[in-house]
Amino acid sequence: TTMKKPLTVLGVLANVERAQGCEAYRLLYPLRALEMRGCNVAVVKGYEIAEMFEKNKNPLAGVDVMLFQRIVVKDKDEKEALRLSTAAFRASGIAALVDYDDDYTNQNRKVTDGFIPDLMEYSAVSVSTPELASLMKPFASKVVVHPNGIVPELFDTKRFRRFIPKLSIGLTGSES
């Protein structure tokens, strides 16, 4: 019998200083769950991919799936660069996914100064709620709802401390 190659998933963090609640719930915890099931996973920041290519290292060799978060662009040049990179991923056989945990359409409140580009070339867009799925349908060919899950380890206050000591809604203790 031939052994099936484990799925290799590359999570791409936004260029944030450190992972917060959204990155944990929507990227780190799901990738850890995949790893526990035998998948190969890695997480990099977006700018690190560009740096590796500049050093003639291919960070995408062997990658089956790339999971991005909250993609927004600020102008038509960024939109075009994103379109070209997405086309390259897809031409290489990589499934490109993007996750939104909040309304980046800015329809309900202003979340970003950028805008959501056309995401039709992505394999799927995942969102946290059915309401958000309806807002994202104009941007993507496939939108799936993956609700946030509770991670029981977060209740262990000896291992995890809250970032904000005042009242907040949510298990990670963020303000939003």
Side-chain angles (χ1 to χ4, degrees), residues 37-76:
R37 291 190 169 119
C39 294
N40 297 318
V41 302
V43 177
V44 296
K45 291 184 179 179
Y47 73 87
E48 293 173 328
I49 293 174
E51 286 177 353
M52 285 184 243
F53 276 121
E54 286 172 6
K55 295 176 182 174
N56 290 325
K57 295 180 181 176
N58 183 358
L60 307 181
V63 171
D64 300 304
V65 178
M66 290 182 73
L67 174 58
F68 297 90
Q69 291 190 293
R70 304 181 305 260
I71 293 176
V72 293
V73 295
K74 65 180 180 196
D75 56 36
K76 64 180 183 176

PDB file of all heavy atoms in Angstrom, residues 37-76:
ATOM      1  N   ARG A  37      -3.868  16.015  14.478  1.00  0.00           N
ATOM      2  CA  ARG A  37      -4.457  14.976  13.633  1.00  0.00           C
ATOM      3  C   ARG A  37      -3.485  14.497  12.563  1.00  0.00           C
ATOM      4  O   ARG A  37      -3.873  13.799  11.637  1.00  0.00           O
ATOM      5  CB  ARG A  37      -5.733  15.497  13.001  1.00  0.00           C
ATOM      6  CG  ARG A  37      -6.832  15.685  14.013  1.00  0.00           C
ATOM      7  CD  ARG A  37      -8.147  15.956  13.340  1.00  0.00           C
ATOM      8  NE  ARG A  37      -9.218  15.869  14.306  1.00  0.00           N
ATOM      9  CZ  ARG A  37     -10.019  16.867  14.618  1.00  0.00           C
ATOM     10  NH1 ARG A  37      -9.898  18.029  14.020  1.00  0.00           N
ATOM     11  NH2 ARG A  37     -10.967  16.708  15.509  1.00  0.00           N
ATOM     12  N   GLY A  38      -2.225  14.929  12.637  1.00  0.00           N
ATOM     13  CA  GLY A  38      -1.215  14.410  11.719  1.00  0.00           C
ATOM     14  C   GLY A  38      -0.820  15.305  10.563  1.00  0.00           C
ATOM     15  O   GLY A  38       0.001  14.913   9.737  1.00  0.00           O
ATOM     16  N   CYS A  39      -1.384  16.492  10.484  1.00  0.00           N
ATOM     17  CA  CYS A  39      -1.005  17.415   9.403  1.00  0.00           C
ATOM     18  C   CYS A  39       0.298  18.120   9.755  1.00  0.00           C
ATOM     19  O   CYS A  39       0.642  18.271  10.924  1.00  0.00           O
ATOM     20  CB  CYS A  39      -2.098  18.467   9.202  1.00  0.00           C
ATOM     21  SG  CYS A  39      -3.641  17.798   8.595  1.00  0.00           S
ATOM     22  N   ASN A  40       1.019  18.527   8.737  1.00  0.00           N
ATOM     23  CA  ASN A  40       2.193  19.371   8.929  1.00  0.00           C
ATOM     24  C   ASN A  40       1.719  20.816   8.902  1.00  0.00           C
ATOM     25  O   ASN A  40       1.033  21.213   7.961  1.00  0.00           O
ATOM     26  CB  ASN A  40       3.215  19.155   7.807  1.00  0.00           C
ATOM     27  CG  ASN A  40       3.746  17.743   7.789  1.00  0.00           C
ATOM     28  OD1 ASN A  40       4.037  17.168   8.828  1.00  0.00           O
ATOM     29  ND2 ASN A  40       3.842  17.176   6.608  1.00  0.00           N
ATOM     30  N   VAL A  41       2.052  21.586   9.925  1.00  0.00           N
ATOM     31  CA  VAL A  41       1.617  22.980   9.961  1.00  0.00           C
ATOM     32  C   VAL A  41       2.801  23.881  10.301  1.00  0.00           C
ATOM     33  O   VAL A  41       3.755  23.461  10.955  1.00  0.00           O
ATOM     34  CB  VAL A  41       0.477  23.219  10.977  1.00  0.00           C
ATOM     35  CG1 VAL A  41      -0.724  22.347  10.666  1.00  0.00           C
ATOM     36  CG2 VAL A  41       0.938  22.997  12.399  1.00  0.00           C
ATOM     37  N   ALA A  42       2.706  25.102   9.823  1.00  0.00           N
ATOM     38  CA  ALA A  42       3.680  26.135  10.162  1.00  0.00           C
ATOM     39  C   ALA A  42       2.946  27.466  10.116  1.00  0.00           C
ATOM     40  O   ALA A  42       1.923  27.608   9.441  1.00  0.00           O
ATOM     41  CB  ALA A  42       4.846  26.138   9.177  1.00  0.00           C
ATOM     42  N   VAL A  43       3.481  28.441  10.842  1.00  0.00           N
ATOM     43  CA  VAL A  43       2.897  29.778  10.870  1.00  0.00           C
ATOM     44  C   VAL A  43       4.012  30.784  10.621  1.00  0.00           C
ATOM     45  O   VAL A  43       5.072  30.701  11.236  1.00  0.00           O
ATOM     46  CB  VAL A  43       2.218  30.068  12.224  1.00  0.00           C
ATOM     47  CG1 VAL A  43       1.679  31.497  12.272  1.00  0.00           C
ATOM     48  CG2 VAL A  43       1.094  29.074  12.486  1.00  0.00           C
ATOM     49  N   VAL A  44       3.758  31.710   9.702  1.00  0.00           N
ATOM     50  CA  VAL A  44       4.713  32.788   9.419  1.00  0.00           C
ATOM     51  C   VAL A  44       3.946  34.090   9.320  1.00  0.00           C
ATOM     52  O   VAL A  44       2.733  34.100   9.098  1.00  0.00           O
ATOM     53  CB  VAL A  44       5.505  32.556   8.107  1.00  0.00           C
ATOM     54  CG1 VAL A  44       6.371  31.320   8.185  1.00  0.00           C
ATOM     55  CG2 VAL A  44       4.576  32.508   6.917  1.00  0.00           C
ATOM     56  N   LYS A  45       4.665  35.183   9.475  1.00  0.00           N
ATOM     57  CA  LYS A  45       4.072  36.493   9.228  1.00  0.00           C
ATOM     58  C   LYS A  45       4.171  36.771   7.733  1.00  0.00           C
ATOM     59  O   LYS A  45       5.076  36.285   7.054  1.00  0.00           O
ATOM     60  CB  LYS A  45       4.798  37.575  10.015  1.00  0.00           C
ATOM     61  CG  LYS A  45       4.550  37.454  11.509  1.00  0.00           C
ATOM     62  CD  LYS A  45       5.188  38.578  12.262  1.00  0.00           C
ATOM     63  CE  LYS A  45       4.896  38.420  13.748  1.00  0.00           C
ATOM     64  NZ  LYS A  45       5.520  39.476  14.540  1.00  0.00           N
ATOM     65  N   GLY A  46       3.263  37.557   7.214  1.00  0.00           N
ATOM     66  CA  GLY A  46       3.218  37.834   5.793  1.00  0.00           C
ATOM     67  C   GLY A  46       4.525  38.358   5.237  1.00  0.00           C
ATOM     68  O   GLY A  46       4.997  37.909   4.188  1.00  0.00           O
ATOM     69  N   TYR A  47       5.149  39.287   5.949  1.00  0.00           N
ATOM     70  CA  TYR A  47       6.392  39.869   5.436  1.00  0.00           C
ATOM     71  C   TYR A  47       7.522  38.845   5.391  1.00  0.00           C
ATOM     72  O   TYR A  47       8.446  38.972   4.589  1.00  0.00           O
ATOM     73  CB  TYR A  47       6.812  41.105   6.244  1.00  0.00           C
ATOM     74  CG  TYR A  47       7.348  40.807   7.622  1.00  0.00           C
ATOM     75  CD1 TYR A  47       8.701  40.523   7.806  1.00  0.00           C
ATOM     76  CD2 TYR A  47       6.532  40.827   8.743  1.00  0.00           C
ATOM     77  CE1 TYR A  47       9.212  40.249   9.063  1.00  0.00           C
ATOM     78  CE2 TYR A  47       7.030  40.561  10.000  1.00  0.00           C
ATOM     79  CZ  TYR A  47       8.369  40.273  10.158  1.00  0.00           C
ATOM     80  OH  TYR A  47       8.865  39.996  11.402  1.00  0.00           O
ATOM     81  N   GLU A  48       7.460  37.809   6.227  1.00  0.00           N
ATOM     82  CA  GLU A  48       8.513  36.790   6.235  1.00  0.00           C
ATOM     83  C   GLU A  48       8.517  35.982   4.935  1.00  0.00           C
ATOM     84  O   GLU A  48       9.577  35.534   4.489  1.00  0.00           O
ATOM     85  CB  GLU A  48       8.345  35.864   7.444  1.00  0.00           C
ATOM     86  CG  GLU A  48       8.599  36.563   8.762  1.00  0.00           C
ATOM     87  CD  GLU A  48       8.273  35.701   9.966  1.00  0.00           C
ATOM     88  OE1 GLU A  48       7.340  34.864   9.901  1.00  0.00           O
ATOM     89  OE2 GLU A  48       8.957  35.876  10.994  1.00  0.00           O
ATOM     90  N   ILE A  49       7.349  35.798   4.337  1.00  0.00           N
ATOM     91  CA  ILE A  49       7.290  35.087   3.058  1.00  0.00           C
ATOM     92  C   ILE A  49       8.066  35.869   2.006  1.00  0.00           C
ATOM     93  O   ILE A  49       8.890  35.308   1.279  1.00  0.00           O
ATOM     94  CB  ILE A  49       5.831  34.860   2.614  1.00  0.00           C
ATOM     95  CG1 ILE A  49       5.152  33.883   3.569  1.00  0.00           C
ATOM     96  CG2 ILE A  49       5.766  34.343   1.182  1.00  0.00           C
ATOM     97  CD1 ILE A  49       3.680  33.693   3.306  1.00  0.00           C
ATOM     98  N   ALA A  50       7.819  37.168   1.936  1.00  0.00           N
ATOM     99  CA  ALA A  50       8.530  38.009   0.966  1.00  0.00           C
ATOM    100  C   ALA A  50      10.034  37.981   1.223  1.00  0.00           C
ATOM    101  O   ALA A  50      10.834  37.884   0.283  1.00  0.00           O
ATOM    102  CB  ALA A  50       8.005  39.437   1.029  1.00  0.00           C
ATOM    103  N   GLU A  51      10.435  38.045   2.492  1.00  0.00           N
ATOM    104  CA  GLU A  51      11.870  38.007   2.826  1.00  0.00           C
ATOM    105  C   GLU A  51      12.512  36.700   2.382  1.00  0.00           C
ATOM    106  O   GLU A  51      13.632  36.695   1.882  1.00  0.00           O
ATOM    107  CB  GLU A  51      12.069  38.199   4.332  1.00  0.00           C
ATOM    108  CG  GLU A  51      11.839  39.618   4.800  1.00  0.00           C
ATOM    109  CD  GLU A  51      11.972  39.762   6.313  1.00  0.00           C
ATOM    110  OE1 GLU A  51      12.121  38.747   7.032  1.00  0.00           O
ATOM    111  OE2 GLU A  51      11.914  40.914   6.791  1.00  0.00           O
ATOM    112  N   MET A  52      11.813  35.582   2.554  1.00  0.00           N
ATOM    113  CA  MET A  52      12.370  34.289   2.146  1.00  0.00           C
ATOM    114  C   MET A  52      12.549  34.228   0.634  1.00  0.00           C
ATOM    115  O   MET A  52      13.560  33.730   0.150  1.00  0.00           O
ATOM    116  CB  MET A  52      11.485  33.153   2.647  1.00  0.00           C
ATOM    117  CG  MET A  52      11.621  32.901   4.130  1.00  0.00           C
ATOM    118  SD  MET A  52      10.651  31.466   4.638  1.00  0.00           S
ATOM    119  CE  MET A  52       9.494  32.237   5.745  1.00  0.00           C
ATOM    120  N   PHE A  53      11.566  34.733  -0.113  1.00  0.00           N
ATOM    121  CA  PHE A  53      11.706  34.758  -1.570  1.00  0.00           C
ATOM    122  C   PHE A  53      12.879  35.629  -1.989  1.00  0.00           C
ATOM    123  O   PHE A  53      13.614  35.287  -2.919  1.00  0.00           O
ATOM    124  CB  PHE A  53      10.419  35.242  -2.238  1.00  0.00           C
ATOM    125  CG  PHE A  53       9.396  34.153  -2.438  1.00  0.00           C
ATOM    126  CD1 PHE A  53       8.136  34.258  -1.873  1.00  0.00           C
ATOM    127  CD2 PHE A  53       9.695  33.027  -3.195  1.00  0.00           C
ATOM    128  CE1 PHE A  53       7.191  33.256  -2.058  1.00  0.00           C
ATOM    129  CE2 PHE A  53       8.763  32.029  -3.389  1.00  0.00           C
ATOM    130  CZ  PHE A  53       7.502  32.143  -2.814  1.00  0.00           C
ATOM    131  N   GLU A  54      13.073  36.757  -1.303  1.00  0.00           N
ATOM    132  CA  GLU A  54      14.192  37.640  -1.625  1.00  0.00           C
ATOM    133  C   GLU A  54      15.537  36.951  -1.400  1.00  0.00           C
ATOM    134  O   GLU A  54      16.519  37.260  -2.061  1.00  0.00           O
ATOM    135  CB  GLU A  54      14.117  38.925  -0.795  1.00  0.00           C
ATOM    136  CG  GLU A  54      13.018  39.867  -1.266  1.00  0.00           C
ATOM    137  CD  GLU A  54      12.812  41.049  -0.335  1.00  0.00           C
ATOM    138  OE1 GLU A  54      13.596  41.221   0.629  1.00  0.00           O
ATOM    139  OE2 GLU A  54      11.859  41.804  -0.570  1.00  0.00           O
ATOM    140  N   LYS A  55      15.577  35.990  -0.469  1.00  0.00           N
ATOM    141  CA  LYS A  55      16.805  35.239  -0.177  1.00  0.00           C
ATOM    142  C   LYS A  55      16.861  33.942  -0.978  1.00  0.00           C
ATOM    143  O   LYS A  55      17.618  33.037  -0.660  1.00  0.00           O
ATOM    144  CB  LYS A  55      16.872  34.935   1.319  1.00  0.00           C
ATOM    145  CG  LYS A  55      17.008  36.173   2.172  1.00  0.00           C
ATOM    146  CD  LYS A  55      16.984  35.822   3.645  1.00  0.00           C
ATOM    147  CE  LYS A  55      17.070  37.090   4.477  1.00  0.00           C
ATOM    148  NZ  LYS A  55      16.906  36.818   5.896  1.00  0.00           N
ATOM    149  N   ASN A  56      16.033  33.854  -2.017  1.00  0.00           N
ATOM    150  CA  ASN A  56      15.960  32.677  -2.891  1.00  0.00           C
ATOM    151  C   ASN A  56      15.586  31.398  -2.156  1.00  0.00           C
ATOM    152  O   ASN A  56      16.006  30.304  -2.543  1.00  0.00           O
ATOM    153  CB  ASN A  56      17.264  32.492  -3.676  1.00  0.00           C
ATOM    154  CG  ASN A  56      17.444  33.571  -4.720  1.00  0.00           C
ATOM    155  OD1 ASN A  56      16.476  34.025  -5.316  1.00  0.00           O
ATOM    156  ND2 ASN A  56      18.672  33.999  -4.910  1.00  0.00           N
ATOM    157  N   LYS A  57      14.816  31.524  -1.096  1.00  0.00           N
ATOM    158  CA  LYS A  57      14.267  30.363  -0.395  1.00  0.00           C
ATOM    159  C   LYS A  57      12.787  30.319  -0.715  1.00  0.00           C
ATOM    160  O   LYS A  57      12.104  31.345  -0.692  1.00  0.00           O
ATOM    161  CB  LYS A  57      14.475  30.491   1.114  1.00  0.00           C
ATOM    162  CG  LYS A  57      15.932  30.463   1.515  1.00  0.00           C
ATOM    163  CD  LYS A  57      16.072  30.588   3.019  1.00  0.00           C
ATOM    164  CE  LYS A  57      17.540  30.572   3.403  1.00  0.00           C
ATOM    165  NZ  LYS A  57      17.743  30.789   4.822  1.00  0.00           N
ATOM    166  N   ASN A  58      12.283  29.152  -1.030  1.00  0.00           N
ATOM    167  CA  ASN A  58      10.874  29.018  -1.364  1.00  0.00           C
ATOM    168  C   ASN A  58      10.114  28.505  -0.146  1.00  0.00           C
ATOM    169  O   ASN A  58      10.128  27.309   0.132  1.00  0.00           O
ATOM    170  CB  ASN A  58      10.674  28.080  -2.547  1.00  0.00           C
ATOM    171  CG  ASN A  58       9.227  27.973  -2.954  1.00  0.00           C
ATOM    172  OD1 ASN A  58       8.341  28.560  -2.346  1.00  0.00           O
ATOM    173  ND2 ASN A  58       8.966  27.202  -3.994  1.00  0.00           N
ATOM    174  N   PRO A  59       9.429  29.401   0.565  1.00  0.00           N
ATOM    175  CA  PRO A  59       8.682  28.962   1.745  1.00  0.00           C
ATOM    176  C   PRO A  59       7.430  28.176   1.401  1.00  0.00           C
ATOM    177  O   PRO A  59       6.792  27.619   2.284  1.00  0.00           O
ATOM    178  CB  PRO A  59       8.320  30.284   2.425  1.00  0.00           C
ATOM    179  CG  PRO A  59       8.256  31.268   1.316  1.00  0.00           C
ATOM    180  CD  PRO A  59       9.309  30.827   0.319  1.00  0.00           C
ATOM    181  N   LEU A  60       7.100  28.097   0.127  1.00  0.00           N
ATOM    182  CA  LEU A  60       5.868  27.432  -0.287  1.00  0.00           C
ATOM    183  C   LEU A  60       6.086  26.026  -0.821  1.00  0.00           C
ATOM    184  O   LEU A  60       5.131  25.345  -1.174  1.00  0.00           O
ATOM    185  CB  LEU A  60       5.145  28.279  -1.336  1.00  0.00           C
ATOM    186  CG  LEU A  60       4.897  29.739  -0.942  1.00  0.00           C
ATOM    187  CD1 LEU A  60       4.158  30.466  -2.043  1.00  0.00           C
ATOM    188  CD2 LEU A  60       4.171  29.837   0.378  1.00  0.00           C
ATOM    189  N   ALA A  61       7.332  25.583  -0.874  1.00  0.00           N
ATOM    190  CA  ALA A  61       7.627  24.232  -1.370  1.00  0.00           C
ATOM    191  C   ALA A  61       6.918  23.204  -0.492  1.00  0.00           C
ATOM    192  O   ALA A  61       7.076  23.187   0.726  1.00  0.00           O
ATOM    193  CB  ALA A  61       9.130  23.985  -1.364  1.00  0.00           C
ATOM    194  N   GLY A  62       6.107  22.380  -1.116  1.00  0.00           N
ATOM    195  CA  GLY A  62       5.407  21.322  -0.390  1.00  0.00           C
ATOM    196  C   GLY A  62       4.138  21.760   0.315  1.00  0.00           C
ATOM    197  O   GLY A  62       3.463  20.949   0.944  1.00  0.00           O
ATOM    198  N   VAL A  63       3.778  23.037   0.237  1.00  0.00           N
ATOM    199  CA  VAL A  63       2.579  23.536   0.915  1.00  0.00           C
ATOM    200  C   VAL A  63       1.344  23.161   0.103  1.00  0.00           C
ATOM    201  O   VAL A  63       1.298  23.346  -1.116  1.00  0.00           O
ATOM    202  CB  VAL A  63       2.656  25.075   1.114  1.00  0.00           C
ATOM    203  CG1 VAL A  63       1.332  25.635   1.615  1.00  0.00           C
ATOM    204  CG2 VAL A  63       3.783  25.429   2.064  1.00  0.00           C
ATOM    205  N   ASP A  64       0.336  22.617   0.784  1.00  0.00           N
ATOM    206  CA  ASP A  64      -0.930  22.259   0.144  1.00  0.00           C
ATOM    207  C   ASP A  64      -1.983  23.345   0.311  1.00  0.00           C
ATOM    208  O   ASP A  64      -2.784  23.591  -0.581  1.00  0.00           O
ATOM    209  CB  ASP A  64      -1.482  20.955   0.739  1.00  0.00           C
ATOM    210  CG  ASP A  64      -0.535  19.797   0.547  1.00  0.00           C
ATOM    211  OD1 ASP A  64      -0.158  19.522  -0.609  1.00  0.00           O
ATOM    212  OD2 ASP A  64      -0.155  19.164   1.555  1.00  0.00           O
ATOM    213  N   VAL A  65      -1.990  23.969   1.491  1.00  0.00           N
ATOM    214  CA  VAL A  65      -3.010  24.962   1.832  1.00  0.00           C
ATOM    215  C   VAL A  65      -2.347  26.151   2.511  1.00  0.00           C
ATOM    216  O   VAL A  65      -1.488  25.973   3.372  1.00  0.00           O
ATOM    217  CB  VAL A  65      -4.068  24.371   2.801  1.00  0.00           C
ATOM    218  CG1 VAL A  65      -5.107  25.416   3.188  1.00  0.00           C
ATOM    219  CG2 VAL A  65      -4.728  23.145   2.209  1.00  0.00           C
ATOM    220  N   MET A  66      -2.762  27.352   2.112  1.00  0.00           N
ATOM    221  CA  MET A  66      -2.330  28.571   2.808  1.00  0.00           C
ATOM    222  C   MET A  66      -3.569  29.213   3.417  1.00  0.00           C
ATOM    223  O   MET A  66      -4.579  29.391   2.744  1.00  0.00           O
ATOM    224  CB  MET A  66      -1.653  29.555   1.859  1.00  0.00           C
ATOM    225  CG  MET A  66      -0.307  29.073   1.384  1.00  0.00           C
ATOM    226  SD  MET A  66       0.513  30.251   0.299  1.00  0.00           S
ATOM    227  CE  MET A  66       0.987  31.518   1.462  1.00  0.00           C
ATOM    228  N   LEU A  67      -3.481  29.537   4.699  1.00  0.00           N
ATOM    229  CA  LEU A  67      -4.592  30.164   5.403  1.00  0.00           C
ATOM    230  C   LEU A  67      -4.188  31.580   5.783  1.00  0.00           C
ATOM    231  O   LEU A  67      -3.252  31.782   6.559  1.00  0.00           O
ATOM    232  CB  LEU A  67      -4.964  29.367   6.656  1.00  0.00           C
ATOM    233  CG  LEU A  67      -6.023  29.976   7.570  1.00  0.00           C
ATOM    234  CD1 LEU A  67      -7.330  30.227   6.819  1.00  0.00           C
ATOM    235  CD2 LEU A  67      -6.251  29.074   8.774  1.00  0.00           C
ATOM    236  N   PHE A  68      -4.877  32.554   5.200  1.00  0.00           N
ATOM    237  CA  PHE A  68      -4.624  33.971   5.471  1.00  0.00           C
ATOM    238  C   PHE A  68      -5.705  34.505   6.395  1.00  0.00           C
ATOM    239  O   PHE A  68      -6.760  33.897   6.550  1.00  0.00           O
ATOM    240  CB  PHE A  68      -4.665  34.779   4.164  1.00  0.00           C
ATOM    241  CG  PHE A  68      -3.605  34.402   3.183  1.00  0.00           C
ATOM    242  CD1 PHE A  68      -3.832  33.419   2.232  1.00  0.00           C
ATOM    243  CD2 PHE A  68      -2.373  35.034   3.193  1.00  0.00           C
ATOM    244  CE1 PHE A  68      -2.859  33.068   1.314  1.00  0.00           C
ATOM    245  CE2 PHE A  68      -1.386  34.689   2.276  1.00  0.00           C
ATOM    246  CZ  PHE A  68      -1.637  33.705   1.343  1.00  0.00           C
ATOM    247  N   GLN A  69      -5.448  35.663   6.958  1.00  0.00           N
ATOM    248  CA  GLN A  69      -6.425  36.309   7.822  1.00  0.00           C
ATOM    249  C   GLN A  69      -6.709  37.727   7.362  1.00  0.00           C
ATOM    250  O   GLN A  69      -5.785  38.474   7.024  1.00  0.00           O
ATOM    251  CB  GLN A  69      -5.893  36.395   9.247  1.00  0.00           C
ATOM    252  CG  GLN A  69      -5.789  35.080   9.941  1.00  0.00           C
ATOM    253  CD  GLN A  69      -5.490  35.311  11.393  1.00  0.00           C
ATOM    254  OE1 GLN A  69      -4.423  35.784  11.740  1.00  0.00           O
ATOM    255  NE2 GLN A  69      -6.449  35.011  12.237  1.00  0.00           N
ATOM    256  N   ARG A  70      -7.967  38.081   7.349  1.00  0.00           N
ATOM    257  CA  ARG A  70      -8.439  39.461   7.223  1.00  0.00           C
ATOM    258  C   ARG A  70      -7.692  40.271   6.167  1.00  0.00           C
ATOM    259  O   ARG A  70      -7.140  41.324   6.453  1.00  0.00           O
ATOM    260  CB  ARG A  70      -8.335  40.155   8.582  1.00  0.00           C
ATOM    261  CG  ARG A  70      -9.085  39.423   9.666  1.00  0.00           C
ATOM    262  CD  ARG A  70      -9.005  40.098  11.008  1.00  0.00           C
ATOM    263  NE  ARG A  70      -7.679  40.352  11.507  1.00  0.00           N
ATOM    264  CZ  ARG A  70      -7.043  39.625  12.408  1.00  0.00           C
ATOM    265  NH1 ARG A  70      -7.623  38.562  12.902  1.00  0.00           N
ATOM    266  NH2 ARG A  70      -5.847  39.954  12.822  1.00  0.00           N
ATOM    267  N   ILE A  71      -7.681  39.795   4.947  1.00  0.00           N
ATOM    268  CA  ILE A  71      -6.966  40.497   3.884  1.00  0.00           C
ATOM    269  C   ILE A  71      -7.713  41.776   3.512  1.00  0.00           C
ATOM    270  O   ILE A  71      -8.893  41.739   3.185  1.00  0.00           O
ATOM    271  CB  ILE A  71      -6.799  39.607   2.637  1.00  0.00           C
ATOM    272  CG1 ILE A  71      -5.857  38.433   2.947  1.00  0.00           C
ATOM    273  CG2 ILE A  71      -6.289  40.419   1.456  1.00  0.00           C
ATOM    274  CD1 ILE A  71      -5.717  37.448   1.814  1.00  0.00           C
ATOM    275  N   VAL A  72      -7.006  42.885   3.612  1.00  0.00           N
ATOM    276  CA  VAL A  72      -7.490  44.172   3.109  1.00  0.00           C
ATOM    277  C   VAL A  72      -6.343  44.812   2.341  1.00  0.00           C
ATOM    278  O   VAL A  72      -5.176  44.532   2.599  1.00  0.00           O
ATOM    279  CB  VAL A  72      -7.981  45.123   4.232  1.00  0.00           C
ATOM    280  CG1 VAL A  72      -9.227  44.594   4.888  1.00  0.00           C
ATOM    281  CG2 VAL A  72      -6.895  45.386   5.242  1.00  0.00           C
ATOM    282  N   VAL A  73      -6.683  45.644   1.387  1.00  0.00           N
ATOM    283  CA  VAL A  73      -5.680  46.368   0.616  1.00  0.00           C
ATOM    284  C   VAL A  73      -5.987  47.852   0.714  1.00  0.00           C
ATOM    285  O   VAL A  73      -7.121  48.250   0.993  1.00  0.00           O
ATOM    286  CB  VAL A  73      -5.648  45.906  -0.864  1.00  0.00           C
ATOM    287  CG1 VAL A  73      -5.188  44.454  -0.966  1.00  0.00           C
ATOM    288  CG2 VAL A  73      -7.000  46.078  -1.525  1.00  0.00           C
ATOM    289  N   LYS A  74      -4.953  48.666   0.497  1.00  0.00           N
ATOM    290  CA  LYS A  74      -5.169  50.111   0.647  1.00  0.00           C
ATOM    291  C   LYS A  74      -5.354  50.845  -0.679  1.00  0.00           C
ATOM    292  O   LYS A  74      -5.871  51.951  -0.703  1.00  0.00           O
ATOM    293  CB  LYS A  74      -4.029  50.738   1.442  1.00  0.00           C
ATOM    294  CG  LYS A  74      -2.686  50.678   0.753  1.00  0.00           C
ATOM    295  CD  LYS A  74      -1.591  51.309   1.582  1.00  0.00           C
ATOM    296  CE  LYS A  74      -0.296  51.205   0.806  1.00  0.00           C
ATOM    297  NZ  LYS A  74       0.875  51.423   1.559  1.00  0.00           N
ATOM    298  N   ASP A  75      -4.929  50.211  -1.794  1.00  0.00           N
ATOM    299  CA  ASP A  75      -5.047  50.890  -3.085  1.00  0.00           C
ATOM    300  C   ASP A  75      -5.014  49.866  -4.221  1.00  0.00           C
ATOM    301  O   ASP A  75      -4.867  48.664  -3.998  1.00  0.00           O
ATOM    302  CB  ASP A  75      -3.949  51.940  -3.262  1.00  0.00           C
ATOM    303  CG  ASP A  75      -2.541  51.371  -3.110  1.00  0.00           C
ATOM    304  OD1 ASP A  75      -2.291  50.216  -3.537  1.00  0.00           O
ATOM    305  OD2 ASP A  75      -1.681  52.080  -2.558  1.00  0.00           O
ATOM    306  N   LYS A  76      -5.133  50.365  -5.452  1.00  0.00           N
ATOM    307  CA  LYS A  76      -5.202  49.459  -6.613  1.00  0.00           C
ATOM    308  C   LYS A  76      -3.887  48.718  -6.840  1.00  0.00           C
ATOM    309  O   LYS A  76      -3.888  47.601  -7.344  1.00  0.00           O
ATOM    310  CB  LYS A  76      -5.635  50.206  -7.864  1.00  0.00           C
ATOM    311  CG  LYS A  76      -4.672  51.261  -8.333  1.00  0.00           C
ATOM    312  CD  LYS A  76      -5.190  51.956  -9.581  1.00  0.00           C
ATOM    313  CE  LYS A  76      -4.143  52.965 -10.039  1.00  0.00           C
ATOM    314  NZ  LYS A  76      -4.495  53.607 -11.272  1.00  0.00           N
TER     315      LYS A  76
END
